[in-house]
Amino acid sequence: MHITVVPASPRTAQATIRFLLAHPSGPTVRGVYRDLARVPAEFAANPKFAAVTGDIIDASSLDFAGSDAVLNVQPPIYAEIDTVKHALDVSNNIKAAVQRATSVKRLVFVSSMGAQYDHGTGEILTSHAAETVLADAAPEVVFVRCAYFMHNWEAALKTISEAGFFFTTLTPLDNTLPQVAKDDIGETCAEELLATGNPLKSNPYIFDLVGPRPYTSLDVQRAWEEATGKTLEMRPVGKDGLAEFYGHVFPPVVAKRYTEMNLSFLPGGIIYEQSQPTGEVRKGRVELVDEFRKLLQGA
Ligand SMILES: NC(=O)c1ccc[n+]([C@@H]2O[C@H](COP(=O)([O-])OP(=O)(O)OC[C@H]3O[C@@H](n4cnc5c(N)ncnc54)[C@H](OP(=O)(O)O)[C@@H]3O)[C@@H](O)[C@H]2O)c1
């Protein structure tokens, strides 16, 4: 089996490659990089791995010839551009490249919880846009709608190490949110890629991927305290403070998208209320505290 991962740098893509290269069936993997200097040494040294140059924003640079399956991830955009249009353009590039390479039987896309909604989800509208384009891109299509990434909490590392506190935008503090680790995403995507050619329950086949249990901000605080061995202060940012909070971190248009996304998974938001649940929900194994231990080690 030959699998292309495009692009190969995002953390979810890297986790998938790691599982593929360790798999006993011995698939060969092609990673697509904007800059070949970014290929991790652990992959470069593996004879089953090949790195090639390509950019998802340039359709002519993408060559999936000879691949049985393709994993696509859409990297986050922090620039003041129309990210939904960008997602449509990039997805059309992926779709065209899949269809040029007549060997590709299956496309797996790292999507997001809430991708079924066409409004009210801010940044997640990019995953919705991608799903609309990619739904018929290959004979078999799989959308892995991932919960909130546990590695998003990496942003807390700086304030924790410098001042012993972290911000949380997940309120009220006992409100739960499904969260998932990159290794669970990587393992799940690898399994779906390796299952190419096996019948799908539906096409596109769509499921939600969550962690072993949902977590509250209080759970997040406990996990950071356990991982660091320190008592830490948690500084909540309530609904009314979100626009200002993201305004300090991002340019205005980006801050607006992140505010809307954050509101969507708080009580009253469209994802919290879940009027159109995906249906199937799969659970990963990695607990929050174990992901935080990895983040502390820079992994
Ligand atoms: N955050 C969440 O909670 C969440 C939840 C569900 C789904 N998702 C989806 O999952 C996606 C992936 O997240 P992630 O954490 O794996 O990503 P990530 O690690 O943040 O990906 C960033 C990397 O993508 C690469 N990149 C950026 N622009 C690129 C381009 N035009 N072409 C090729 N590579 C490019 C860059 O690597 P180089 O500089 O090495 O090229 C960059 O370091 C998100 O964007 C979102 O669509 C996110």
Side-chain angles (χ1 to χ4, degrees), residues 38-62:
R38 301 278 297 156
V39 183
E42 65 171 302
F43 298 159
N46 193 314
K48 287 181 290 179
F49 184 80
V52 298
T53 312
D55 195 323
I56 53 175
I57 59 174
D58 175 7
S60 68
S61 73
L62 303 174

Side-chain angles (χ1 to χ4, degrees), residues 117-272:
Y117 302 111
D118 63 4
H119 65 282
T121 58
E123 193 58 24
I124 296 170
L125 291 174
T126 58
S127 292
H128 175 78
E131 285 195 6
T132 58
V133 173
L134 298 176
D136 61 353
E140 301 168 10
V141 174
V142 179
F143 295 148
V144 184
R145 286 185 180 158
C146 302
Y148 188 84
F149 291 171
M150 291 179 182
H151 66 252
N152 291 341
W153 293 102
E154 188 175 32
L157 282 174
K158 190 168 186 295
T159 55
I160 285 176
S161 67
E162 289 174 2
F165 79 90
F166 69 96
F167 291 106
T168 179
T169 61
L170 175 57
T171 59
L173 297 181
D174 59 353
N175 171 35
T176 56
L177 178 69
Q179 306 189 35
V180 66
K182 53 190 176 306
D183 281 355
D184 282 329
I185 299 169
E187 185 170 11
T188 303
C189 289
E191 280 168 2
E192 289 302 320
L193 291 160
L194 293 168
T196 296
N198 293 327
L200 293 170
K201 287 184 196 166
S202 60
N203 199 8
Y205 172 44
I206 308 175
F207 58 90
D208 282 346
L209 180 65
V210 303
R213 59 199 174 92
Y215 299 91
T216 66
S217 282
L218 294 166
D219 293 327
V220 172
Q221 183 179 29
R222 271 190 289 273
W224 273 128
E225 290 189 338
E226 196 179 329
T228 59
K230 293 180 187 156
T231 301
L232 298 171
E233 181 198 346
M234 177 161 59
R235 296 192 185 167
V237 180
K239 275 188 184 184
D240 293 346
L242 288 173
E244 192 189 344
F245 176 76
Y246 286 117
H248 285 303
V249 187
F250 296 128
V253 175
V254 183
K256 194 164 174 281
R257 294 198 299 261
Y258 274 76
T259 301
E260 185 178 86
M261 174 175 70
N262 200 138
L263 286 169
S264 73
F265 52 73
L266 300 184
I270 191 165
I271 293 179
Y272 183 92

